[in-house]
Amino acid sequence: MTLLDDQSSVVIVGAGLAGWRLAEALRSEAFTGTITIVGEEAHFPYDRPPLSKQVLSGKWDVALTTLVPDQSLVAQSIDWRLGARAVALDACEREVTLDDGVVLRASHVALATGSRARTMSYSAAEALHLIRSRDDLERLLADLETTESKRPWVVIGAGFLGAEVATAFKIRGVASVVLEVAHATLEGVVGAQAASWLRMLPEDFGVTLRTDEKVRDVEWRGKVLTVSLDSGEDVEAAGVVVCVGSQLDLTWLEGSGLELDGGVVVDEHLQASANVAALGDVARFAWPGPLGVEMLRIEHWEVAVFHAAQLARYWTHGVGPEHVMVPYFWSDQYGKKIQMLGHPRPDDEVTLVHGDVTSKQWLALYARDEIVTGLLALSSPRPLMLAKVVLDEVTSRDHALERAPWRV
């Protein structure tokens, strides 16, 4: 790896959170060379989490999601290539080819392309809504304003995004039905036991959730948008929002010379090859967890921010992070806040350590091989933050329970 100097140039592919924060961090580290940001969307970088929360619920205008504080000032120090898509990379030459034929060459290239909403091949594809981009959200808001049908909106998928969409609909006074193929929501993330503690949240909030429901197709029957289920039942809908996870687009990196394995494989410094790095959602990185180094790809807001700061320091000063990142995510759904620290597996042992399930305010501790791997909180932010110390270093489950920092 070659350190950046005033004659260096950086191309950042991806104008989302990770790409923008990297550009900010490079400038904060006194890098004065050229920075070029390539983004498929026509918008300046913006924050995605508020789209399904504050914006969809009507609390924010979409303009409040912007991450660029002064676009005119920023435009003077960054070469923006918005509305452009990268279609090829030569990692050895550090050349990025755009869809208009332009080839960008730099001393350093950062891949921060993020992930995309997973789509479904239903018949009425043109009528389906996704929520990944600002344009997606504005299209959905326009349909909500103009749709006069008294039928409920159907949300396919009851994961974090689906739950947030249903919550926002409820706040807006829009009736919805959430369809989930699994027997229990979030079980694949928080495990069966914790999922059972969360199962009453939708009903208590006034949202209809139907589990064990596989959607066979979404189609127009005359002028009625109809969701047909494997059970043989049909659900007539005012509109349909698909929230069935995310996926990466790595096809443009085939032949680039990089290792691709469920993401762009990087080392402990986020380097995929000489002077080529990947960060955020797209990076499959080495994480020194409590049970040893794991190769992970984590689509968390906090990970993108941490990676950006880490990469900027490494490229400008050649130093690694000062501390080990503790993964963190949150979700506002059904009037409650779910927060998780660490990276536990769904089959880790779970112990309720604070609060109780009936009050819907609690903290749970995850452990594997008697070592603490994570913390999950429901509307208990202070106990969660107090308990974080058990993840700052390797901690046994027994020692964590004896110490009980969440009680301080």
Side-chain angles (χ1 to χ4, degrees):
M1 190 275 297
T2 305
L3 290 180
L4 292 170
D5 58 31
D6 292 347
Q7 304 305 310
S8 301
S9 57
V10 177
V11 169
I12 301 171
V13 184
L17 174 70
W20 168 244
R21 285 297 177 90
L22 174 59
E24 281 190 311
L26 288 171
R27 292 303 188 216
S28 295
E29 297 289 351
F31 172 59
T32 60
T34 302
I35 297 177
T36 301
I37 297 181
V38 178
E40 284 192 46
E41 298 181 51
H43 307 291
F44 279 90
Y46 58 89
D47 212 5
R48 295 185 191 276
L51 296 180
S52 59
K53 300 178 178 72
Q54 291 90 339
V55 180
L56 183 55
S57 65
K59 297 178 181 178
W60 284 17
D61 183 272
V62 70
L64 291 177
T65 64
T66 183
L67 292 169
V68 183
D70 187 330
Q71 294 176 2
S72 61
L73 176 62
V74 171
Q76 296 174 17
S77 59
I78 292 179
D79 176 17
W80 293 94
R81 301 296 180 99
L82 300 178
R85 181 168 57 89
V87 296
L89 168 69
D90 184 330
C92 183
E93 298 295 332
R94 293 178 298 283
E95 291 181 345
V96 177
T97 302
L98 306 185
D99 54 357
D100 60 2
V102 171
V103 177
L104 303 174
R105 187 170 187 178
S107 63
H108 295 67
V109 174
L111 308 178
T113 48
S115 57
R116 303 169 181 269
R118 184 166 167 253
T119 58
M120 303 297 287
S121 56
Y122 298 135
S123 298
E126 78 291 343
L128 304 178
H129 286 276
L130 303 172
I131 299 186
R132 183 64 186 176
S133 70
R134 176 171 169 170
D135 290 344
D136 291 337
L137 195 280
E138 291 181 331
R139 175 174 169 254
L140 175 56
L141 291 175
D143 273 10
L144 285 171
E145 292 295 330
T146 58
T147 299
E148 297 179 354
S149 172
K150 301 301 181 182
R151 302 180 183 93
W153 278 71
V154 169
V155 180
I156 301 176
F160 290 110
L161 180 59
E164 290 173 1
V165 170
T167 299
F169 279 173
K170 177 68 176 180
I171 293 172
R172 295 181 69 95
V174 175
S176 67
V177 175
V178 184
L179 303 176
E180 169 58 44
V181 68
H183 179 67
T185 63
L186 305 180
E187 186 171 335
V189 179
V190 303
Q193 186 170 8
S196 71
W197 298 340
L198 299 170
R199 66 183 180 85
M200 294 306 295
L201 295 185
E203 181 179 338
D204 291 347
F205 194 67
V207 170
T208 300
L209 169 64
R210 296 172 53 173
T211 57
D212 297 303
E213 295 284 15
K214 183 177 181 181
V215 175
R216 185 171 66 245
D217 198 10
V218 180
E219 59 185 338
W220 288 104
R221 296 184 182 174
K223 295 184 178 181
V224 179
L225 191 60
T226 304
V227 180
S228 56
L229 308 177
D230 264 10
S231 64
E233 181 184 352
D234 294 329
V235 179
E236 296 182 346
V240 176
V241 184
V242 178
C243 303
V244 292
S246 61
Q247 58 189 4
L248 295 179
D249 177 14
L250 301 177
T251 56
W252 74 281
L253 292 173
E254 294 174 359
S256 65
L258 303 183
E259 182 181 355
L260 307 177
D261 182 12
V264 179
V265 179
V266 298
D267 65 15
E268 68 273 20
H269 298 298
L270 304 177
Q271 306 304 292
S273 69
N275 294 354
V276 177
L279 66 159
D281 294 0
V282 76
R284 189 163 186 261
F285 61 96
W287 178 62
L291 294 175
V293 177
E294 300 179 66
M295 290 300 294
L296 302 176
R297 191 180 69 80
I298 305 179
E299 297 182 13
H300 292 174
W301 190 96
E302 292 282 346
V303 171
V305 172
F306 186 91
H307 278 179
Q310 175 186 348
L311 181 57
R313 283 194 299 269
Y314 185 66
W315 272 357
T316 55
H317 301 294
V319 298
E322 298 176 353
H323 62 278
V324 175
M325 173 188 65
V326 177
Y328 168 75
F329 76 81
W330 78 98
S331 176
D332 297 319
Q333 53 183 264
Y334 309 127
K336 300 293 182 180
K337 180 179 288 291
I338 298 175
Q339 297 169 283
M340 178 174 276
L341 279 168
H343 192 68
R345 297 174 184 171
D347 57 353
D348 286 353
E349 182 182 357
V350 183
T351 304
L352 192 69
V353 297
H354 176 81
D356 62 86
V357 176
T358 56
S359 71
K360 299 180 180 59
Q361 289 183 298
W362 46 261
L363 175 69
L365 180 146
Y366 287 73
R368 183 166 68 253
D369 297 334
E370 299 301 319
I371 299 297
V372 177
T373 57
L375 297 160
L376 178 68
L378 179 65
S379 295
S380 299
R382 186 170 187 273
L384 176 72
M385 291 301 114
L386 290 173
K388 182 179 178 295
V389 294
V390 304
L391 292 170
D392 289 336
E393 58 186 23
V394 178
T395 305
S396 71
R397 176 181 175 276
D398 289 345
H399 179 63
L401 294 176
E402 179 182 357
R403 185 178 178 185
W406 45 84
R407 295 178 182 171
V408 175

